[in-house]
Amino acid sequence: NAGVTQTPKFRVLKTGQSMTLLCAQDMNHEYMYWYRQDPGMGLRLIHYSVGEGTTAKGEVPDGYNVSRLKKQNFLLGLESAAPSQTSVYFCASNLWAEDEQFFGPGTRLTVL
Amino acid sequence: GNSVTQMEGPVTLSEEAFLTINCTYTATGYPSLFWYVQYPGEGLQLLLKATKADDKGSNKGFEATYRKETTSFHLEKGSVQVSDSAVYFCALRVTGNQFYFGTGTSLTVIP
């Protein structure tokens, strides 16, 4: 049982490049989330999903897109990266909304 | 709106010292409250939680009591260890599935 995994762990992009971050969970969780963590800001919710085929905007969705084609995977896309998107990105999941969230190890993204 | 305010760090303590990390919240409705811990290079892990007023959450020697009258959920531990060095996040969840996290408090325990 791997829990929540994230790919890649580190990435450096140039401004304007695109990339996709992959989150996978093997716990059959319905809910999945993408957060970004910035110094002095805590975690902020980017997008989330309440089930396969559904997505919704969180607190800071601009510049990001997401997809949940399979229940176990939640993809976060940056179409045209900007330096302001330099951050650590965390994926999380839970079975029901009331449950604790289980977090992945994070992806450190730097946009030059 | 919903928000969490926690004491700024970093906090440095000697081993076996008493720890308090303050957390206050603003919420609509009746939130559940959480403390998460993040060890270096890892994701967040649930440390403890409380779902209603006057509940006390506890785990690994850490405790926090849900105080509705003061809108607080302060984290305490009587005797910290070097292995407790981490970043601690207070969080709340109101009805629905969105969590609101504080900014995190870094704790370093020195031998």
Side-chain angles (χ1 to χ4, degrees):
Chain A
N1 194 343
V4 180
T5 58
Q6 293 182 231
T7 309
K9 288 185 168 49
F10 303 93
R11 186 71 186 268
V12 178
L13 292 178
K14 295 181 179 179
T15 297
Q17 288 185 318
S18 64
M19 78 162 294
T20 300
L21 282 66
L22 171 64
C23 175
Q25 52 90 7
D26 60 1
M27 297 175 282
N28 201 34
H29 284 173
E30 291 292 333
Y31 296 81
M32 297 186 75
Y33 312 81
W34 275 108
Y35 293 91
R36 58 178 291 172
Q37 182 183 32
D38 301 295
M41 302 287 289
L43 274 73
R44 292 181 292 169
L45 183 65
I46 304 171
H47 286 281
Y48 64 98
S49 168
V50 300
E52 182 179 319
T54 73
T55 63
K57 293 180 180 179
E59 182 184 358
V60 289
D62 293 343
Y64 305 94
N65 57 74
V66 288
S67 63
R68 183 103 181 264
L69 300 179
K70 294 183 178 180
K71 186 176 184 178
Q72 63 268 34
N73 296 336
F74 194 30
L75 279 64
L76 178 71
L78 287 73
E79 290 187 350
S80 179
S84 60
Q85 293 178 305
T86 293
S87 187
V88 180
Y89 292 86
F90 286 100
C91 177
S93 70
N94 55 5
L95 182 59
W96 305 116
E98 296 77 16
D99 288 347
E100 69 172 283
Q101 293 188 1
F102 292 82
F103 284 81
T107 295
R108 184 173 294 275
L109 174 66
T110 301
V111 182
L112 302 175
Chain B
N2 302 304
S3 66
V4 174
T5 302
Q6 59 182 108
M7 67 183 283
E8 294 191 13
V11 174
T12 302
L13 294 174
S14 297
E15 207 165 22
E16 299 184 0
F18 185 85
L19 169 70
T20 299
I21 301 178
N22 291 336
C23 171
T24 57
Y25 67 89
T26 302
T28 55
Y30 302 96
S32 295
L33 301 174
F34 304 80
W35 276 102
Y36 278 82
V37 59
Q38 183 181 30
Y39 298 104
E42 299 183 9
L44 280 69
Q45 305 172 24
L46 180 67
L47 181 59
L48 53 84
K49 68 179 181 181
T51 57
K52 62 182 187 297
D54 299 326
D55 271 1
K56 177 185 284 188
S58 61
N59 186 25
K60 299 181 181 179
F62 291 89
E63 294 183 340
T65 301
Y66 187 166
R67 302 284 188 199
K68 185 178 178 182
E69 63 276 13
T70 55
T71 61
S72 66
F73 193 53
H74 304 322
L75 182 69
E76 296 181 336
K77 187 174 185 181
S79 176
V80 293
Q81 306 300 312
V82 172
S83 57
D84 294 326
S85 297
V87 180
Y88 293 82
F89 291 89
C90 185
L92 70 84
R93 186 186 62 78
V94 292
T95 53
N97 56 339
Q98 187 161 343
F99 278 66
Y100 298 85
F101 289 86
T103 55
T105 302
S106 175
L107 170 66
T108 300
V109 180
I110 54 177

